[in-house]
Amino acid sequence: MKIGYIRVSTEEQNTARQELFMCDLGVDELFMDKYSGKNTNRPELQRMMGYVRKGDTVIVESISRFARNAKDLLELVEQLTAKGVNFVSKKETIDTTTPAGKFMLTVFAAVAELEREYILQRQQEGIAIAKAEGKYHGRKPLAMPDNFHTVVMKWQRGEITAREAMRQVNMRPNTFYRRVQSANGFHTN
């Protein structure tokens, strides 16, 4: 079977071009994620990895749609190979059924990772310049919920779990623990 995988980074981005591409290739099954490619924790990618069987071919438009760094790309392709599944990236003309295709996969993975690092570096340089010019002040801190101290006291007394405390104050773990540590008289131990 030909298995197509499509990914865009956000809900707002359009998948039509990739869908048309997959239709033209005659894929039998299509998996689509609207998530960042920064890691492999994507529901449809994971579902596809569990779905594929020996003899199948996973087709992507480009390797950047499949993985954003060499490590993830190579690990995913290794998992596919272990299942007897081939990998094809049309844009880079990579086909893991050939030795040259396997070699090119490694080269393109390294180039894709390098480009991602350049993007992050340029972003950090832009932020540094904006800070120096007084134009960038970072993200505004979230307001402390009115019930924060009450909820933390309940959590510290063992009346509620940390997860429940975070739900009640609508905070993610890192923010919650950081706020607990910085609040006077509250300690996470």
Side-chain angles (χ1 to χ4, degrees), residues 25-179:
L25 293 175
V27 298
D28 302 299
E29 194 71 36
L30 187 61
F31 294 84
M32 184 180 343
D33 274 316
K34 291 189 175 190
Y35 285 89
S36 168
K38 69 180 178 179
N39 61 45
T40 60
N41 296 330
R42 291 173 258 147
E44 288 298 296
L45 174 64
Q46 294 306 317
R47 197 166 76 81
M48 182 198 70
M49 294 299 285
Y51 177 85
V52 293
R53 301 288 180 259
K54 184 176 183 175
D56 288 347
T57 299
V58 170
I59 302 171
V60 296
E61 182 216 5
S62 72
I63 59 173
S64 68
R65 302 291 97 207
F66 197 54
R68 281 283 180 89
N69 65 60
K71 179 180 172 283
D72 286 349
L73 177 64
L74 296 174
E75 284 177 4
L76 287 169
V77 173
E78 188 175 300
Q79 289 173 31
L80 292 173
T81 302
K83 292 177 109 177
V85 176
N86 298 312
F87 175 78
V88 173
S89 175
K90 288 297 184 178
K91 182 177 182 181
E92 295 86 3
T93 60
I94 294 172
D95 183 343
T96 61
T97 61
T98 68
K102 289 177 186 174
F103 171 74
M104 290 305 294
L105 175 70
T106 305
V107 171
F108 277 111
V111 170
E113 184 171 358
L114 179 64
E115 178 57 26
R116 178 77 179 138
E117 291 298 321
Y118 282 154
I119 290 168
L120 293 174
Q121 182 180 4
R122 288 190 301 264
Q123 181 183 35
Q124 290 303 313
E125 289 169 355
I127 290 170
I129 290 167
K131 281 182 178 180
E133 295 174 352
K135 296 178 182 176
Y136 181 88
H137 305 289
R139 201 167 48 175
K140 292 180 181 175
L142 296 173
M144 186 76 78
D146 293 336
N147 65 341
F148 182 78
H149 294 295
T150 305
V151 171
V152 169
M153 286 172 51
K154 285 182 181 178
W155 166 62
Q156 288 181 328
R157 288 191 304 254
E159 295 173 17
I160 59 174
T161 64
R163 179 173 284 161
E164 176 58 21
M166 289 175 223
R167 188 193 66 73
Q168 287 185 22
V169 294
N170 194 27
M171 287 184 183
R172 293 184 179 204
N174 289 348
T175 305
F176 177 77
Y177 290 118
R178 187 172 55 250
R179 292 281 179 96

